[in-house]
Amino acid sequence: MAELRGFVMAAAAGMLVAVFAVVSLAPRGAEAKTTIEPCSGSDSCQALLGYTLYADMKVSEVAALFAADPGALLAANALDFGAPGAAHRILPMGLFVRVPTRCSCADGVRKSVAVRYAARPADTLATVADVVFAGLASADQIRNENGLASTDPDAPLDAGQKLVVPLPCVCFNSSDNNLPAVYLSYVVQVGDTVPAIASSYETTVTDVMNVNAMGSPVAAPGDILAIPLPACASTFPKSASDHGLIVANGTYMLTAGNCVQCSCGPGSLKLSAGLQPRCPAPHQFPALTDPPTTVSHDSTYLPPLSAPGPAEAGGVMPEPGSAGSP
């Protein structure tokens, strides 16, 4: 990193250090900044990536690019998961979507390292970073993550070459100002201003500056800002599979085999749950009864079978002509 600016922020469970670091996002040395959260341990959190489609793509193709579930992608954008053919719906080039990702601790910082990309003919590190992943990673970051030699970022990659693409994310204890939050990694676009970004995500300029350790409310195209989104947090016990579930405001998540929809807002920050229409409703399940303690002989149960003969019971077959033989 060419420069590091330290900033200490108070979080719900202790002190966290946020760093607004300078990284190279452009192939020809242009610098952009991204927010980095130092970490230790193996915990992870739910985070979102702001992604602008570089071409017309199916929902399933966007999900596959980021190793995400198509249903989770639809849910993160408040799109109907149950609509016929939803996963194969074509999204137009230039559309901005929120992509769910697990934000892990790797190499001492928060990042998502689940994405594996197979290079296509004519791909370069620069086009993979700036076009395919829309500036969410830099050519230098991809090179370093994969231990590649320092080469021209515009040099063609080998077709089929597998690359790990590190993507930016933060957790900050999934809270902002002591309230539940999911963090969105947002790539600043030409014409964006920090006040406009803050307004569009219903937060304040001060909050964006504090989260990203900014000395002034100025961001350049290519900078990656961590934007706190208000969220609903579950109160499930630790023994529950959905313990720690947190859902960004105005979206939903699917659990229990995509049958239960947990929604947040937009009217209030309270988590609500309901069954998906394609899943069995409560009245469709058979009535539950206590285990039987006696044997019933009505038509519900089969009558007892007659006692088996010696051969059926494993006894000796009688000799022909002996007593008991036919």
Side-chain angles (χ1 to χ4, degrees):
M1 299 294 178
E3 177 186 357
L4 294 180
R5 303 176 194 171
F7 170 76
V8 180
M9 64 177 293
M15 300 300 290
L16 294 174
V17 178
V19 180
F20 204 43
V22 176
V23 298
S24 174
L25 283 181
R28 292 168 183 82
E31 288 183 340
K33 304 179 183 70
T34 186
T35 297
I36 295 175
E37 178 190 0
C39 63
S40 61
S42 58
D43 63 313
S44 64
C45 73
Q46 182 67 35
L48 294 168
L49 304 168
Y51 178 65
T52 301
L53 275 66
Y54 70 98
D56 293 349
M57 300 174 71
K58 295 179 182 178
V59 170
S60 57
E61 291 173 336
V62 178
L65 180 64
F66 288 92
D69 179 77
L73 177 64
L74 290 164
N77 292 277
L79 300 175
D80 186 4
F81 165 77
H88 303 292
R89 186 173 301 169
I90 297 176
L91 304 176
M93 179 179 66
L95 181 69
F96 179 84
V97 296
R98 294 182 285 192
V99 180
T101 189
R102 293 304 299 179
C103 188
S104 305
C105 184
D107 303 322
V109 297
R110 293 286 183 192
K111 57 183 173 180
S112 174
V113 291
V115 172
R116 304 292 187 272
Y117 178 77
R120 301 167 301 182
D123 267 345
T124 68
L125 286 178
T127 59
V128 171
D130 300 333
V131 178
V132 178
F133 287 94
L136 283 167
S138 71
D140 285 342
Q141 288 171 330
I142 297 174
R143 179 191 295 112
N144 294 337
E145 189 72 29
N146 293 275
L148 302 178
S150 181
T151 57
D152 181 0
D154 291 323
L157 297 168
D158 294 332
Q161 183 176 354
K162 299 294 193 299
L163 298 172
V164 176
V165 181
L167 299 171
C169 61
V170 297
C171 293
F172 294 140
N173 285 335
S174 296
S175 67
D176 177 49
N177 295 324
N178 297 316
L179 295 173
V182 174
Y183 284 86
L184 169 75
S185 295
Y186 178 80
V187 181
V188 177
Q189 305 296 310
V190 175
D192 277 346
T193 65
V194 173
I197 294 170
S199 176
S200 65
Y201 289 103
E202 299 182 348
T203 187
T204 65
V205 172
T206 300
D207 199 18
V208 173
M209 290 178 62
N210 287 343
V211 167
N212 293 279
M214 301 170 69
S216 63
V218 177
D223 287 353
I224 301 177
L225 300 178
I227 307 297
L229 306 181
C232 301
S234 74
T235 57
F236 299 134
K238 290 185 177 180
S239 58
S241 60
D242 292 328
H243 171 71
L245 183 71
I246 185 165
V247 183
N249 186 33
T251 70
Y252 66 94
M253 291 184 70
L254 298 168
T255 64
N258 290 345
C259 277
V260 176
Q261 177 177 318
C262 296
S263 303
C264 179
S268 66
L269 294 178
K270 291 184 178 180
L271 201 63
S272 60
L275 286 171
Q276 280 284 323
R278 67 185 187 87
C279 296
H283 66 274
Q284 292 176 294
F285 290 110
L288 300 179
T289 59
D290 293 330
T293 56
T294 59
V295 177
S296 172
H297 296 287
D298 60 21
S299 59
T300 304
Y301 296 92
L302 293 175
L305 296 175
S306 58
E312 295 172 308
V316 178
M317 286 288 290
E319 294 293 334
S322 63
S325 64

